[in-house]
Amino acid sequence: MTTGPDRVATARALLEHLGLTAADLTGSNRPAMPTVAEYLPAVVAAASPGTRRTYGSSWRRMAAALGEWRIDAVRASDIEALMRQAAAGARPRRNSRNGRHAGEHLIAAARAFYNRAIADGYLTVVDSPAHRVRKPRRLPNTRRALTPTNWPTSTPPPAAAVTTSCSTPYCCACTPKLPAGAAAPWRCA
């Protein structure tokens, strides 16, 4: 495509009408790009106490691994590698789920870091590597509530066997007596 003088004049007229200059389009008016270690104190200062408590360890991990890198030089694969390291290095506990939550927190911390960089004008959403990393799919929860099918004490009698004036078939007064000290898993409505 050739650039003729009439196209350049049209483009200049359009930019003038929009109130823009060529420098606005090239991004040369952006501030100098800091490193991750230089910018992290500003992110921590702007965060709420709960956010600092939740993401603090992930931000320290980012500063240790990527501290000397400029914030626009970090790639999505670098954040994914940090996520895998966080998941692998998580403390094994009964409910840890193999570090999945540590990896999720690291991605969320990176997004919070880069959201602050976007708000301060260092990057755009398109430039943010944290927004190109998908959070891992959360596995279904293994904890289950007590339902009538898995009550720990004796099962209540069938509704046909209970003659009661209550509106519910399994009322405290209508069920068989439980052993002393056992709590009834059902109650009146």
Side-chain angles (χ1 to χ4, degrees):
M1 176 181 233
T2 60
T3 308
D6 55 338
R7 286 181 175 255
V8 172
T10 304
R12 285 189 180 151
L14 181 61
L15 286 175
E16 184 179 327
H17 175 71
L18 295 174
L20 298 173
T21 64
D24 294 334
L25 298 177
T26 60
S28 60
N29 58 350
R30 285 188 184 167
M33 200 61 65
T35 63
V36 172
E38 291 170 350
Y39 190 62
L40 191 58
V43 173
V44 171
S48 69
T51 304
R52 284 193 295 267
R53 185 175 52 250
T54 303
Y55 298 149
S57 60
S58 298
W59 285 337
R60 285 189 295 276
R61 185 182 297 267
M62 283 177 60
L66 309 171
E68 300 303 317
W69 296 24
R70 288 186 2 202
I71 62 174
D72 62 340
V74 177
R75 298 180 318 256
S77 58
D78 300 324
I79 293 176
E80 279 190 40
L82 276 177
M83 179 196 69
R84 305 271 183 247
Q85 289 173 2
R91 288 186 181 159
R93 293 186 177 138
R94 187 174 53 141
N95 63 347
S96 69
R97 298 170 71 93
N98 298 324
R100 288 184 62 87
H101 296 284
E104 289 176 6
H105 275 287
L106 191 119
I107 290 178
R111 285 186 178 171
F113 178 86
Y114 278 100
N115 281 339
R116 176 58 43 200
I118 290 166
D120 288 345
Y122 289 110
L123 298 171
T124 62
V125 175
V126 176
D127 299 332
S128 171
H131 288 82
R132 290 191 296 267
V133 177
R134 267 189 30 207
K135 280 179 77 172
R137 185 180 63 84
R138 189 166 270 204
L139 296 176
N141 196 340
T142 58
R143 294 179 286 179
R144 301 287 177 251
L146 290 177
T147 60
T149 59
N150 63 1
W151 278 336
T153 59
S154 64
T155 58
V162 176
T163 57
T164 179
S165 60
C166 294
S167 60
T168 60
Y170 307 119
C171 174
C172 306
C174 305
T175 55
K177 297 295 181 208
L178 295 172
W186 52 87
R187 59 188 158 90
C188 291

